[in-house]
């Protein structure tokens, strides 16, 4: 987990070291959701 403004640097650094990496989502406030985490999008399966 890295701050949003560090994503590009983190991905570049990992790629330079041969590590596959991608943005899997973002952390947001829970709001009124009853669970602590909800996976959505292409990687939710």
């Amino acid at each position: 987990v890295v701050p949003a403004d560090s994503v590009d640097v983190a991905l570049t650094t990992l790629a330079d070291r041969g590590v596959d990496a991608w943005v899997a989502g973002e952390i947001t406030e829970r709001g009124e959701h009853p669970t602590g985490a909800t996976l959505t999008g292409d990687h939710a399966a």
Side-chain angles (χ1 to χ4, degrees):
V1 175
V2 299
D5 61 352
S6 298
V7 170
D8 291 337
V9 172
L11 291 175
T12 299
T13 300
L14 291 166
D16 289 347
R17 288 165 175 72
V19 177
D20 291 335
W22 57 92
V23 175
E26 63 183 5
I27 297 174
T28 61
E29 299 229 9
R30 182 187 301 190
E32 295 186 24
H33 295 284
T35 60
T38 301
L39 297 177
T40 59
D42 295 338
H43 300 287

